[in-house]
Amino acid sequence: MKPAPFEYFCPDSIDQALDLLSEHGDEARILAGGQSLVPAMNFRIQQPAVLIDINRVPDLDYILEEENVLRIGAMTRERQLEFSDLLSQQAPLLHESVPFIAHPQIRNRGTIGGSLVNADPAAELPALMLALNARLKVRNNSQERWIEAPEFFIGMFTTALEADEILLEIALPVMAERTGWSFMEVAPRSGDYALMGVAALVTMGEDGKCEGAKLVYLNAGDGPLEAKEAANILLGEKISDDLIQSAAEHGSEHEITPFGNVHASPEFQRHLAQVLTKKTLTQAVRRAEERKQ
Amino acid sequence: MTRLRSVAITVNNQEYKREVEPRMLLSDFLRHELGLTGTHVGCEHGVCGACSILFDGESARSCLMFAVQADGHAIRTVEGLSADEDHLHPIQQAFWEAHGLQCGFCTPGILMSLIPFLEKNLDPTEEEIRHALSGNLCRCTGYQHIVDAVKLAAERMR
Amino acid sequence: MTTRYFGKRIKRNEDPRLLTGRSLFVDDVDLPGMLHAAFVRSPYAHARIINIDVSQALKREGVVAVYIADDLGDYWKPGPLLVSPPPIADTVFNEKTQVPLAKDKVKFSGEPIVMVVAESRYIAEDALADIYVDYEPFSAVVDMEKALEEDSPLIHEDLGTNIAARVVQKKGDYESIKPDAALIIKRRFSYEHGCAAAMENRGVVAEWDRRSGRLTVWDTTQAPVVIRNGLADLLGLSERQVRVIAPFIGGGFGPKIMMFYQEEVLVPWVAIQLDRPVKWIEDRAENFVATTHERGQIHDAEAAFDKDGRILGVHDVFLHDTGAYDPYGLTVPLNSQANVLGLYDIKNYHSEFTAVFTNKTIVTPYRGAGRQHGVFVIERLLDLAAKELKIDRTEIRRRNFIPPDKFPYNNEIIYQDFVPLIYDSGNYEPLLDDALEKIDYHHFIKEIQPKLRAEGKHVGIGIVAYVEGTGIGPYEGAKVQVMSSGRVSVVTGVGTQGQGHFTSFAQIAAEQLGVPVDKIDVVTGDTDQFYWGAGTFASRGAVVAGNAIYEAARDVRKKILQVASEHFNAPEDELELFDGQIRVADVPRMSISLGELAKKANPTRGAVKPGTQPGLEATNYFGPERGATSSGIHAMIIEVDPETLQIHIQKYLVVHDCGKVINPLILDGQIHGGVAQGIGNAFYERLVYDDDGQLLNGTFMDYHLPSALDVPRIETAHGETVSPLNAMGVKGAGEAGAIPVGPLFAQALEDALHNVDLEILEIPLNSNRLWEIINDANNKGK
Ligand SMILES: Cc1cc2nc3c(=O)[nH]c(=O)nc-3n(C[C@H](O)[C@H](O)[C@H](O)COP(=O)(O)OP(=O)(O)OC[C@H]3O[C@@H](n4cnc5c(N)ncnc54)[C@H](O)[C@@H]3O)c2cc1C
Ligand code: FES
Ligand code: FES
């Protein structure tokens, strides 16, 4: 299990990195934390001819708040997300989900940008981006553009990023008032990719009725998957266990398309989706009520 | 074969200058270029944790990094924990007394993962210890004596 | 003697070296000019090899040699049969052992076809991609029952069948008691493939010294002496020309035994051919397909009971998956066959098995070595009977235990060591009583569990029993020697893989010689240090090698007393050995260190008296007539989330009897590790094959070894029924932790999910499988 040979570049500015990328195009891969790319190279599943290591490019790791928007640099390590006070206050959903990713040694290296570009359908962060209405800033050597999360994830391990583009930043609105959150997953062991995971956000109006709801699933299809109809069932309603149950049933039966793996059949995944939807919605509603007071 | 690159890497406070192929894994570099064979390799895909080292003070998998990435950085391996077998680090001593190892293959990676953990928390609960260990597989011990060793080490280091 | 070393929780001699990263493992061997090997392995489970083109690989810079089967000439032949078929009447055994490189046909996915030798492992792997092999794929034989159908493809065509073996063993007459039975329980039980997954993969380094004509091989083997003998034979060398070193080994658990793995046979040969050192280190991807597996049995079992739950007889017919070859003979299924009898007084037993070739990795013993399957069958049958007869599950076991006055107890069948399965000693009820008390069984089921159930919690208890045949022959030997420094050297032929032999062996010698344990240097696994031996398997290290050391150390003790008696001119019974000295009791000034005495025993002038030998040393051997039988009880309390089917083990208890204990600290460690593997086997680990014989989860991402969060704290307690078969009274314990965890899970999970009428008849489980079993039970109920 040794990687195939490659040409290695270690640019110290983003412009240099972008020039190298545009020069080598499809042949090249960006090396961020390496926690997905290097195992794939060790198995020789991936054999890029050129690696562009952006670990020495300055100013790509930060977590800031500006005008109610959280800005996270693409090279921010998963460990930094885990220990960020700012995130725990302004994006508790994201903050709470990070410890579910792998193990400390992996999170010390793995980056948010790497996880998003990797776009593993079972990964936590892509689903969280959908749940949090994230926008992603990407750039090639001539222009910069923003992509909304739903447009970014277009399939299994596939994103809207062009071969010459680098993901630079993730922007998220801070969590709205009167909003509760919950993230839960079932994995064979702690740190494993989940068999099923659900992120839920619920905003409760002053009148005790649901003003907004969002449900996003991971490992439920070929990318992170939002269940809009299920969430709509809650809108404008007073939340009851029955209502949550119908949302859970609808989401798990009609809106997800899990295809199973060696650890779980699609049927079991749907079952887990239903159970987790119930649990996450219940917790999110409770938290929203708490935050109202 | 691709072009060799020169690297200068500080390992256990000593600087090593070598010419390496970019694809050489840091684990292979430590073991076979520098002869620091205390760092073990069990899977080369990031799961077992046997290859864990400290990279600028933080635990990381040396099988998921290239040696070239460590150029100019500081690495610490199990060999850097104690001068010799008669002067063990408190964590090593605790592992010895609590029988925290059997074949000893997983041990260096476990020790290196625990160093930063105990630096941050010298009064860990059993649950916290088990979480800290969950990224290191051990096939021999069933973990119990390892957990006991960590408790003992924390107590002594407080 | 004032200081005792035997039976003490002494910390291990080997640890400082391991803890500081200064111990030698095979992959740490680095020799000047060393080359590195890699293998092209079949991507198909079953295919004809039409053509192999290695020309591009040979052109690659850094590639030194490439070998296919035809390049091996006379060296190409099937490997040795490691364990011959048992002396049981009418046994069918079709011998098919693995070949160094597949020639015309590949028989499992992962089978080596081409060997590449290059300047580095990186280059060797590059060259693998340069090699083109044309295959004609055949349909794969994956399912055991289908393998036995008329129209199944054949793996070894010359046999005309996929049957590897068939064995029938009987005790009493099962059919004759059937009509008397008050209850007959009949079920199908299955047990799926898993693997040992030692943290260290396999590895071989070989160096040929042309000038001295000596070959040195560093090998991750559990049986260096056997490998030395085999390699000498294969290579046409004398045993004295071959040195096999098994240095520190990163876990063995069975598959590292003495397989004469393809790589193990090829690397030394190539080192001689090329006259350069050659290293091959298995990577994890290879390990999953190339290192042997275990498990894979289907039992159709039935048991007849009287109305009080006493077993009248057991009838078991099972299939055993041996993989593509059967070099390890029938050890695994024979163990399964024996362990169905458990610790129960079963008077009538009919057992027959068919071992089946399939297009999968070879199956050989892995910790437990088939005992699990047998224990699963009998323990489940007892649980099912207890339910039917409304007898408490612990009571039904108690009623069937072999009573203490019936030992030695003859089971009247042949065991894996080819002698009748006779239990040497045992006393089971006290173990059960101790377990019931420690887990608070009656209180739990009467008070605690009903309360928890009322709260909607699903918490179950399990309690199962097992025996473990350990310490079988043939023999081991040891040499004990007092060095002139006063340190003692203990040398034996077994290999060691973390069991603490450097310490427990030292304790045995320390006890005899009165020398502190840290002054005793144990050497294992180097055939130049000790010539004879068999290897570490079947929980035999402590028993067989341990007793050889005991015998040798006693001989040295006698010699010390003799020489000192002359030296002090005092009778032997007035002498005492203490802290590395020998002294005349009560006369402090008459004392000499053992080192000094050793020098005196090796005079440089004068004559050694006829009939005596120089030095304070002795070599002795121990060969048990049969194995010593350990026994025990495992109990567990487990909570299940009824929705997600995730589990949480709240309590785990092992009450174990392995006779005299050399080092309780090390024993606890062995049990903890065994239980952890048992838990993996019961709930986390399963090798999944598709219909084409492809392994679908051959990585650590997808083959789930339990982590520190999955293995609970394990409480241990010990009984002590000494073995009459050896002077120390010890029995083995290496596998005890792993054996009964499957049926324990099944019983405790059924108990936890009491509101569903479910039967768990298979291992391994996982959340998904448990959910399916529950659904099936609910649908049946409708
Ligand atoms: C044992 C183990 C367990 C794991 N468990 C989980 C888990 O439970 N959940 C989970 O979500 N993940 C898990 N991971 C993956 C981990 O989170 C990775 O770190 C992450 O998916 C990738 O991040 P990275 O920075 O390491 O990316 P890399 O591996 O460096 O890169 C991944 C891909 O993204 C590209 N890329 C990276 N950054 C950029 C950028 N800024 N612009 C453009 N392209 C870029 C790379 O070219 C590459 O194709 C696990 C990994 C391991 C080894
Ligand atoms: S060898 Fe690096 S994690 Fe296993
Ligand atoms: S001690 Fe052997 S793997 Fe941990």
Side-chain angles (χ1 to χ4, degrees):
Chain A
M1 287 181 56
K2 309 293 180 192
F6 53 83
E7 183 103 47
Y8 176 78
F9 295 98
C10 189
D12 42 30
S13 75
I14 193 67
D15 290 338
Q16 219 183 328
L18 288 167
D19 285 344
L20 284 163
L21 195 55
S22 87
E23 183 185 334
H24 295 283
D26 265 351
E27 301 251 275
R29 284 280 177 292
I30 296 291
L31 175 62
Q35 304 300 290
S36 293
L37 182 57
V38 182
M41 289 174 68
N42 288 355
F43 279 111
R44 298 202 180 207
I45 297 166
Q46 292 228 33
Q47 305 193 14
V50 174
L51 269 198
I52 303 168
D53 180 355
I54 56 171
N55 282 277
R56 287 172 214 260
V57 173
D59 306 328
L60 285 179
D61 59 329
Y62 51 85
I63 306 173
L64 306 171
E65 185 189 340
E66 269 172 22
E67 295 167 16
N68 288 333
V69 174
L70 290 167
R71 294 175 39 205
I72 306 174
M75 283 300 285
T76 306
R77 311 279 168 186
E78 289 157 345
R79 241 350 216 183
Q80 288 169 273
L81 306 178
E82 185 180 355
F83 288 105
S84 159
D85 291 335
L86 185 59
L87 284 192
S88 96
Q89 283 154 26
Q90 303 292 27
L93 178 63
L94 176 57
H95 187 252
E96 246 177 51
S97 69
V98 176
F100 287 95
I101 304 172
H103 311 285
Q105 301 96 327
I106 311 284
R107 296 198 292 273
N108 277 336
R109 299 293 306 161
T111 65
I112 182 169
S115 177
L116 300 183
V117 177
N118 197 48
D120 188 322
E124 285 80 2
L125 294 175
L128 270 295
M129 294 304 111
L130 233 57
L132 295 167
N133 292 323
R135 304 169 68 222
L136 293 84
K137 182 164 89 176
V138 308
R139 190 192 295 170
N140 65 14
N141 64 354
S142 60
Q143 60 170 6
E144 186 172 291
R145 61 180 180 129
W146 285 89
I147 310 176
E148 304 288 331
E151 277 79 56
F152 187 77
F153 301 106
I154 55 179
M156 277 275 221
F157 299 102
T158 321
T159 69
L161 200 73
E162 299 291 338
D164 63 351
E165 285 176 322
I166 292 181
L167 171 62
L168 292 182
E169 185 181 284
I170 295 95
L172 326 158
V174 301
M175 199 171 63
E177 298 275 279
R178 291 177 272 107
T179 300
W181 72 95
S182 176
F183 179 83
M184 292 184 195
E185 65 174 47
V186 171
R189 299 167 301 182
S190 160
D192 283 330
Y193 280 104
L195 305 179
M196 179 53 61
V198 182
L201 281 168
V202 178
T203 307
M204 298 301 289
E206 301 286 2
D207 56 358
K209 290 188 179 153
C210 175
E211 262 179 13
K214 213 160 171 122
L215 272 174
V216 179
Y217 296 80
L218 58 90
N219 209 10
D222 59 8
L225 220 143
E226 184 176 352
K228 289 192 178 145
E229 294 168 11
N232 276 338
I233 293 179
L234 306 176
L235 279 189
E237 304 284 341
K238 280 213 183 292
I239 306 287
S240 65
D241 287 351
D242 284 349
L243 202 62
I244 287 181
Q245 177 65 28
S246 14
E249 277 172 21
H250 189 89
S252 60
E253 277 165 29
H254 303 296
E255 289 188 90
I256 62 173
T257 51
F259 21 72
N261 59 28
V262 289
H263 312 295
S265 65
E267 295 75 28
F268 185 54
Q269 286 184 296
R270 283 188 195 275
H271 165 78
L272 289 175
Q274 192 182 123
V275 171
L276 292 176
T277 312
K278 262 190 305 189
K279 292 191 179 193
T280 49
L281 281 177
T282 307
Q283 185 178 47
V285 170
R286 188 173 45 75
R287 282 174 164 168
E289 305 281 355
E290 281 164 14
R291 276 169 52 104
K292 237 165 55 179
Q293 287 145 20
Chain B
M1 188 103 140
T2 44
R3 207 154 42 87
L4 297 183
R5 292 180 68 104
S6 355
V7 292
I9 304 176
T10 304
V11 184
N12 303 327
N13 297 322
Q14 190 181 330
E15 192 182 68
Y16 295 87
K17 292 193 167 143
R18 292 288 189 282
E19 303 273 305
V20 297
E21 231 191 316
R23 63 164 160 171
M24 174 169 284
L25 296 172
L26 181 57
S27 46
D28 284 335
F29 177 80
L30 293 169
R31 292 178 46 75
H32 303 305
E33 290 293 310
L34 304 187
L36 295 170
T37 53
T39 299
H40 292 155
V41 168
C43 72
E44 294 178 306
H45 54 281
V47 187
C48 76
C51 68
S52 302
I53 46 107
L54 297 189
F55 185 85
D56 292 338
E58 296 286 358
S59 61
R61 307 290 206 221
S62 61
C63 73
L64 298 188
M65 293 185 73
F66 301 107
V68 286
Q69 291 184 273
D71 186 25
H73 290 273
I75 306 283
R76 196 162 172 214
T77 69
V78 68
E79 287 91 345
L81 281 188
S82 55
D84 56 45
E85 291 161 35
D86 296 325
H87 301 87
L88 298 180
H89 185 284
I91 297 184
Q92 292 170 315
Q93 182 70 27
F95 265 68
W96 191 16
E97 289 173 27
H99 186 28
L101 64 158
Q102 289 183 25
C103 76
F105 196 79
C106 66
T107 313
I110 291 187
L111 295 174
M112 298 323 286
S113 304
L114 287 170
I115 294 277
F117 171 69
L118 287 176
E119 270 168 12
K120 286 176 200 122
N121 183 358
L122 274 182
D123 195 12
T125 62
E126 172 140 356
E127 188 67 14
E128 286 169 337
I129 295 172
R130 287 182 182 269
H131 269 283
L133 288 170
S134 69
N136 291 84
L137 295 174
C138 171
R139 195 56 157 165
C140 300
T141 63
Y143 306 102
Q144 184 160 326
H145 284 159
I146 297 180
V147 173
D148 294 345
V150 181
K151 285 186 184 164
L152 186 63
E155 216 176 278
R156 298 238 176 98
M157 290 163 72
R158 278 206 282 273
Chain C
M1 223 174 294
T2 37
T3 314
R4 296 221 45 153
Y5 302 103
F6 193 94
K8 285 272 151 46
R9 300 176 80 90
I10 292 177
K11 58 188 197 303
R12 305 193 318 168
N13 281 347
E14 54 268 54
D15 287 356
R17 246 183 307 166
L18 289 164
L19 282 162
T20 52
R22 290 171 178 89
S23 44
L24 185 87
F25 289 85
V26 171
D27 190 26
D28 302 343
V29 175
D30 195 3
L31 302 166
M34 190 166 73
L35 298 171
H36 299 262
F39 291 86
V40 174
R41 295 177 184 278
S42 172
Y44 294 102
H46 198 189
R48 179 162 316 289
I49 300 171
I50 296 168
N51 185 39
I52 305 175
D53 179 358
V54 302
S55 53
Q56 290 305 312
L58 282 167
K59 287 184 201 144
R60 180 178 285 272
E61 194 188 327
V63 171
V64 174
V66 179
Y67 301 93
I68 64 170
D70 288 339
D71 298 326
L72 305 182
D74 287 348
Y75 196 65
W76 190 94
K77 53 177 172 267
L81 180 66
L82 305 166
V83 182
S84 48
I88 298 168
D90 302 323
T91 291
V92 175
F93 182 71
N94 292 320
E95 173 181 336
K96 284 291 168 191
T97 58
Q98 72 277 10
V99 294
L101 292 171
K103 203 175 230 167
D104 303 316
K105 205 171 116 162
V106 286
K107 303 191 174 83
F108 67 92
S109 168
E111 186 165 16
I113 302 170
V114 186
M115 180 181 187
V116 174
V117 185
E119 296 291 343
S120 80
R121 171 78 186 207
Y122 288 78
I123 297 171
E125 288 191 24
D126 294 343
L128 299 183
D130 301 334
I131 293 167
Y132 300 97
V133 184
D134 280 341
Y135 301 93
E136 180 196 346
F138 299 142
S139 30
V141 181
V142 180
D143 179 277
M144 282 193 278
E145 289 181 293
K146 285 195 192 136
L148 299 179
E149 284 168 8
E150 281 289 308
D151 56 351
S152 168
L154 294 177
I155 296 171
H156 304 280
E157 280 103 352
D158 56 326
L159 292 178
T161 172
N162 288 322
I163 293 178
R166 185 159 268 162
V167 173
V168 183
Q169 294 215 72
K170 284 183 202 165
K171 173 186 185 183
D173 181 2
Y174 178 79
E175 291 306 323
S176 75
I177 52 90
K178 239 177 123 169
D180 307 332
L183 171 72
I184 290 188
I185 301 278
K186 183 170 180 174
R187 294 289 188 282
R188 167 165 272 217
F189 301 99
S190 61
Y191 221 100
E192 238 337 315
H193 283 70
C195 64
M199 282 300 108
E200 178 200 38
N201 292 307
R202 289 184 296 122
V204 190
V205 181
E207 181 182 34
W208 170 243
D209 182 342
R210 193 160 37 90
R211 280 161 302 184
S212 68
R214 291 210 75 200
L215 175 74
T216 306
V217 181
W218 289 262
D219 187 358
T220 53
T221 178
Q222 297 170 223
V225 174
V226 181
I227 293 293
R228 189 259 331 264
N229 297 346
L231 284 180
D233 183 43
L234 288 168
L235 295 164
L237 298 171
S238 132
E239 282 88 339
R240 290 284 181 203
Q241 284 178 283
V242 183
R243 177 183 187 189
V244 174
I245 302 172
F248 278 99
I249 306 289
F253 315 120
K256 282 185 183 160
I257 186 72
M258 44 180 177
M259 281 298 302
F260 295 93
Y261 277 107
Q262 299 88 338
E263 306 88 356
E264 213 168 17
V265 165
L266 288 169
V267 169
W269 181 80
V270 170
I272 295 174
Q273 295 294 309
L274 299 176
D275 196 11
R276 280 178 73 176
V278 179
K279 179 189 246 187
W280 170 74
I281 299 297
E282 184 183 56
D283 63 32
R284 188 55 65 181
E286 293 181 284
N287 181 270
F288 269 103
V289 291
T291 291
T292 56
H293 292 168
E294 214 208 282
R295 323 250 148 95
Q297 289 186 359
I298 302 173
H299 290 249
D300 286 306
E302 85 180 48
F305 295 86
D306 72 11
K307 64 177 184 0
D308 300 322
R310 288 205 175 75
I311 304 168
L312 300 174
V314 175
H315 189 278
D316 182 27
V317 178
F318 70 96
L319 297 177
H320 168 76
D321 188 343
T322 189
Y325 300 95
D326 58 359
Y328 215 90
L330 299 177
T331 301
V332 176
L334 283 173
N335 262 331
S336 310
Q337 192 163 55
N339 275 262
V340 168
L341 294 167
L343 15 63
Y344 307 112
D345 189 7
I346 297 174
K347 299 197 174 61
N348 300 284
Y349 182 42
H350 175 105
S351 169
E352 60 181 88
F353 68 80
T354 304
V356 184
F357 289 117
T358 59
N359 289 119
K360 292 183 216 158
T361 297
I362 303 169
V363 167
T364 68
Y366 155 46
R367 201 173 198 166
R371 294 178 181 85
Q372 285 92 331
H373 313 65
V375 175
F376 187 64
V377 168
I378 191 67
E379 292 297 304
R380 291 275 65 202
L381 287 169
L382 283 166
D383 287 339
L384 293 162
K387 225 185 217 172
E388 287 284 327
L389 296 168
K390 304 206 164 33
I391 302 174
D392 179 85
R393 54 199 139 146
T394 65
E395 179 57 28
I396 199 169
R397 289 176 165 80
R398 187 189 300 275
R399 284 182 195 171
N400 284 293
F401 280 159
I402 299 165
D405 58 5
K406 277 212 182 177
F407 290 92
Y409 180 88
N410 191 344
N411 284 291
E412 295 172 36
I413 62 167
I414 297 291
Y415 192 41
Q416 58 148 312
D417 53 353
F418 296 178
V419 295
L421 178 66
I422 300 175
Y423 297 163
D424 54 339
S425 62
N427 191 2
Y428 307 139
E429 276 204 70
L431 301 179
L432 179 61
D433 289 335
D434 197 19
L436 292 179
E437 191 191 313
K438 291 210 159 70
I439 200 114
D440 211 5
Y441 178 75
H442 294 290
H443 183 227
F444 180 84
I445 56 172
K446 286 202 194 89
E447 315 260 332
I448 300 176
Q449 195 175 39
K451 263 188 224 150
L452 292 169
R453 283 181 178 167
E455 290 167 24
K457 295 221 166 80
H458 291 71
V459 186
I461 191 166
I463 189 154
V464 297
Y466 63 96
V467 289
E468 180 195 3
T470 74
I472 58 170
Y475 77 94
E476 287 299 335
K479 177 173 181 172
V480 174
Q481 188 178 10
V482 180
M483 313 307 286
S484 55
S485 63
R487 295 186 74 83
V488 173
S489 150
V490 173
V491 187
T492 167
V494 299
T496 183
Q497 306 86 39
Q499 299 92 333
H501 290 149
F502 296 95
T503 313
S504 52
F505 289 172
Q507 283 176 268
I508 295 169
E511 183 79 8
Q512 292 303 316
L513 304 180
V515 174
V517 170
D518 60 6
K519 296 226 156 54
I520 297 183
D521 304 309
V522 176
V523 176
T524 69
D526 181 346
T527 59
D528 266 14
Q529 297 274 345
F530 199 84
Y531 187 86
W532 300 101
T536 309
F537 54 89
S539 301
R540 65 193 292 280
V543 183
V544 188
N547 272 290
I549 291 162
Y550 174 83
E551 299 293 346
R554 269 208 340 192
D555 294 347
V556 173
R557 180 187 174 85
K558 273 188 215 142
K559 234 170 166 177
I560 292 172
L561 290 171
Q562 229 172 43
V563 177
S565 156
E566 276 172 34
H567 174 72
F568 290 127
N569 206 359
E572 284 184 25
D573 55 9
E574 282 177 20
L575 299 176
E576 59 181 21
L577 285 128
F578 175 75
D579 199 18
Q581 313 270 323
I582 180 152
R583 63 192 184 193
V584 181
D586 308 328
V587 191
R589 112 195 115 66
M590 292 182 76
S591 147
I592 182 170
S593 75
L594 292 185
E596 284 305 313
L597 195 70
K599 284 183 204 150
K600 295 207 183 302
N602 182 26
T604 48
R605 291 287 180 280
V608 170
K609 271 193 216 149
T612 63
Q613 287 163 351
L616 298 177
E617 68 166 65
T619 300
N620 212 327
Y621 297 86
F622 178 75
E625 58 184 288
R626 55 175 196 270
T629 308
S630 299
S631 55
I633 308 282
H634 285 211
M636 150 170 106
I637 296 176
I638 194 169
E639 178 166 6
V640 190
D641 179 325
E643 290 187 314
T644 63
L645 284 312
Q646 290 189 297
I647 56 165
H648 172 64
I649 302 172
Q650 297 182 342
K651 207 168 170 151
Y652 201 108
L653 168 73
V654 178
V655 181
H656 182 243
D657 181 352
C658 60
K660 286 270 183 215
V661 174
I662 304 171
N663 184 329
L665 188 64
I666 291 176
L667 175 61
D668 277 351
Q670 285 291 310
I671 292 184
H672 297 165
V675 170
Q677 290 188 12
I679 289 174
N681 174 217
F683 206 80
Y684 296 90
E685 301 173 35
R686 172 205 291 266
L687 293 168
V688 183
Y689 280 94
D690 69 9
D691 293 343
D692 297 323
Q694 293 296 328
L695 180 62
L696 299 181
N697 60 336
T699 71
F700 272 168
M701 288 297 266
D702 281 325
Y703 186 82
H704 294 152
L705 305 185
S707 81
L709 288 163
D710 306 310
V711 182
R713 204 154 257 286
I714 297 152
E715 187 188 341
T716 54
H718 303 283
E720 188 182 291
T721 316
V722 299
S723 174
L725 299 178
N726 62 73
M728 293 195 296
V730 297
K731 302 175 174 183
E735 300 171 273
I739 297 173
V741 192
L744 182 67
F745 262 72
Q747 192 195 93
L749 288 171
E750 283 178 6
D751 190 40
L753 297 162
H754 65 105
N755 50 336
V756 189
D757 186 21
L758 82 167
E759 284 184 358
I760 295 175
L761 305 175
E762 65 187 57
I763 289 292
L765 303 160
N766 59 23
S767 305
N768 187 152
R769 188 61 199 132
L770 201 52
W771 181 74
E772 289 168 356
I773 294 171
I774 293 170
N775 285 347
D776 288 348
N778 284 336
N779 289 338
K780 234 184 253 157
K782 270 176 202 157

